[in-house]
Amino acid sequence: MEYTVRPDLYDLRHFDELMPGELNFYERLATQGVGPVVELGFGSGRVGLELARCGHEVIGVDRSGAMLEQARQRLEREKPETRNRVRLMQASMTDFKLEEKTHLIYVPFSAFLHLRTQQEQRACLRQVRKHLKGFFAGSFFRPDPQRLLKSPYEHVDFVRTARSGERVVQSSYTLECDLHEQTRSVLMRTEVFSPEGEQLENVLHDCEIAWIYGREWRLLLELEGFKLELLEGGFQGEPVSDTWLYTWVAS
Ligand SMILES: C[S@@+](CC[C@H](N)C(=O)[O-])C[C@H]1O[C@@H](n2cnc3c(N)ncnc32)[C@H](O)[C@@H]1O
């Protein structure tokens, strides 16, 4: 399924929202080799743009032309040296092709969960393996079995104030969970309010995502020839059991 989120609203919600330690986590890995690093599911460049600002060359792979267009617009506003470090590539992470191997491929912010079947997940891992001479890293949400059993359910994901002063409310309505295939279909709502409280936007988009447990992830990586170096609950060494996130590094 195509990612149907409106890119400008994605940015309003997330653009300046790096998680504690997130940039450091990828930057540390990026500095361990030379040449470009590759971000899968680049979106509008929340992480990749920051790495480019730090001096790294970044290839941003995304299937969505609209998200890449949003990234292009952001790049226009960057200094030329930052802009020139970023190359955008419209392709699926299941069959992207690079001319040479790279020392870091990373997939942040649950983008990997957009691959819903194990065939797609393994196809992606095989492409990564083929193009990698260093580390494969990323993060995705840790599933909450209690909540998955309750579908359908509604949840307010967050309320935040954007830099513009607008208040953004994101909520999601999980319509259906397939407990056997580990996929769920979610209706996501983004509401935007002016500082005075007037509703400016009320937009819905749907999304189908998978969930993956830690020990399953370990097996998938092993099956595709990776060695898991680290599986934690955050970017600063948090134990897996304490948080809602998995972070990993494999080689
Ligand atoms: C949650 S966003 C993450 C964007 C960005 N990495 C970030 O950290 O903000 C997921 C991104 O993955 C992209 N995506 C989904 N399926 C994909 C696929 N099969 N191949 C490449 N990109 C994909 C979407 O278009 C979207 O831009």
Side-chain angles (χ1 to χ4, degrees), residues 27-37 56 103-104 133 135:
E27 229 259 307
R28 248 191 348 252
L29 294 166
T31 48
Q32 291 188 30
V34 284
V37 302
H56 301 283
H103 68 281
L104 174 64
K133 58 177 181 186
F135 295 110

Side-chain angles (χ1 to χ4, degrees), residues 127-242:
Q127 285 310 97
V128 172
R129 185 72 273 163
K130 203 188 285 178
H131 292 100
L132 194 70
K133 58 177 181 186
F135 295 110
F136 174 47
S139 72
F140 51 70
F141 298 125
R142 186 160 79 95
D144 176 349
Q146 307 279 7
R147 211 194 273 167
L148 292 169
L149 284 173
K150 278 196 224 143
S151 80
Y153 64 85
E154 209 170 351
H155 181 251
V156 175
D157 303 322
F158 57 78
V159 181
R160 65 185 297 245
T161 305
R163 236 189 264 157
S164 54
E166 290 163 333
R167 224 149 48 89
V168 184
V169 183
Q170 182 185 292
S171 42
S172 50
Y173 185 66
T174 295
L175 300 169
E176 209 185 321
C177 283
D178 183 332
L179 295 173
H180 181 62
E181 288 301 325
Q182 295 186 193
T183 55
R184 61 194 181 110
S185 62
V186 184
L187 210 52
M188 296 184 89
R189 182 188 295 280
T190 306
E191 292 164 273
V192 182
F193 297 89
S194 72
E196 295 72 37
E198 184 194 352
Q199 191 176 54
L200 306 174
E201 300 272 12
N202 182 358
V203 178
L204 283 173
H205 78 273
D206 51 3
C207 172
E208 294 233 357
I209 42 178
W211 67 87
I212 298 175
Y213 292 98
R215 67 187 245 177
E216 179 190 1
W217 187 229
R218 224 179 278 136
L219 277 175
L220 269 174
L221 288 170
E222 214 172 273
L223 203 58
E224 297 301 342
F226 291 89
K227 175 170 175 268
L228 186 61
E229 305 278 349
L230 165 163
L231 181 64
E232 290 176 340
F235 298 102
Q236 298 176 305
E238 296 87 336
V240 161
S241 52
D242 283 7

Side-chain angles (χ1 to χ4, degrees), residues 47-114:
V47 178
L49 241 162
E50 295 292 339
L51 286 183
R53 284 182 185 152
C54 298
H56 301 283
E57 276 180 71
V58 184
I59 300 176
V61 177
D62 204 290
R63 198 173 53 174
S64 157
M67 289 303 275
L68 290 176
E69 182 48 38
Q70 184 78 1
R72 243 173 238 120
Q73 286 175 23
R74 302 211 74 103
L75 282 168
E76 285 302 312
R77 295 195 285 274
E78 292 293 323
K79 292 187 189 144
E81 59 266 35
T82 304
R83 191 185 316 139
N84 293 336
R85 286 188 199 112
V86 181
R87 252 185 296 155
L88 301 176
M89 183 187 284
Q90 187 169 7
S92 171
M93 59 179 111
T94 55
D95 62 8
F96 67 99
K97 287 180 187 65
L98 305 170
E99 274 156 28
E100 51 186 324
K101 289 193 178 190
T102 166
H103 68 281
L104 174 64
I105 301 181
Y106 65 101
V107 51
F109 223 35
S110 295
F112 192 85
L113 301 184
H114 289 283

